[in-house]
Amino acid sequence: MSFTEAVRTCLAKYFTFSGRASRPEYWWFMLFIFGMSLILGVLDGMIFGFNRVEYAPDAVQYEANGPLASLFSLAMLVPILSAGWRRMHDSGRTGLHLLYPLIVIIGVTTFMGVVAGFGPVLQGDFGTVIAGGSTLILAFAMVVFLISPLVVLWWLTRPSQPHPNKYGPPPTHIAARNE
């Protein structure tokens, strides 16, 4: 599958969360998203200007403050999720696996809120949260939180299942290659 075919396919399947998406389809589309976001970010900066943000005396960063990249990202949110969902199906997993890091974030935040109360969590006072007796559990949860995006990335890079699975037949170009 070529770059333009992948972009066209993913945009045509804007709200399609069923079926399967091959590795080339998903990763070419992600390259398109990254490239367009980069280009639109630069255009935002050129048209609307850059903000200088100082994090430390020697750490300066410039951020674009225009709407182009933000609107593009908002418009592409559903196709990104649907392509990832179909990609998980292609590797034999349910699309819910794509949301695993989000589930971990919600679980860790809820746990911290239950342990220390939501006031310190919302204020960012993690000293109070850690001072409780649940430091070991929280440390384990943070390790899971750091690893979970890597696991999802690993799943997204797995090969297509060459035969039909419970999510449907393989994408047409994968099926044609295996004949």
Side-chain angles (χ1 to χ4, degrees), residues 49-71:
F50 290 98
N51 289 336
R52 180 183 166 110
V53 180
E54 293 188 36
Y55 295 102
D58 58 343
V60 176
Q61 183 175 346
Y62 292 93
E63 298 176 351
N65 60 350
L68 300 177
S70 299
L71 289 174

Side-chain angles (χ1 to χ4, degrees), residues 33 36-45 48 64-76:
I33 297 294
M36 285 301 295
S37 296
L38 189 65
I39 290 168
L40 291 173
V42 170
L43 278 174
D44 274 341
F48 300 103
N65 60 350
L68 300 177
S70 299
L71 289 174
F72 175 75
S73 296
L74 186 60
M76 291 295 112

Side-chain angles (χ1 to χ4, degrees), residues 45-163:
M46 289 172 30
I47 295 170
F48 300 103
F50 290 98
N51 289 336
R52 180 183 166 110
V53 180
E54 293 188 36
Y55 295 102
D58 58 343
V60 176
Q61 183 175 346
Y62 292 93
E63 298 176 351
N65 60 350
L68 300 177
S70 299
L71 289 174
F72 175 75
S73 296
L74 186 60
M76 291 295 112
L77 181 62
V78 173
I80 289 169
L81 288 174
S82 67
W85 202 271
R86 292 190 319 272
R87 178 70 201 115
M88 286 294 185
H89 287 174
D90 192 47
S91 63
R93 293 169 183 80
T94 177
L96 287 173
H97 282 87
L98 189 65
L99 302 178
Y100 183 60
L102 180 64
I103 294 168
V104 171
I105 289 170
I106 292 170
V108 168
T109 304
T110 303
F111 177 75
M112 289 188 315
V114 167
V115 168
F118 285 101
V121 172
L122 294 175
Q123 294 171 355
D125 183 13
F126 294 107
T128 303
V129 175
I130 293 174
S134 60
T135 306
L136 187 60
I137 295 171
L138 188 58
F140 176 73
M142 293 309 287
V143 167
V144 172
F145 167 69
L146 295 173
I147 291 174
S148 64
L150 299 175
V151 171
V152 170
L153 184 63
W154 171 257
W155 288 332
L156 289 169
T157 61
R158 297 297 77 218
S160 298
Q161 291 184 334
H163 306 290

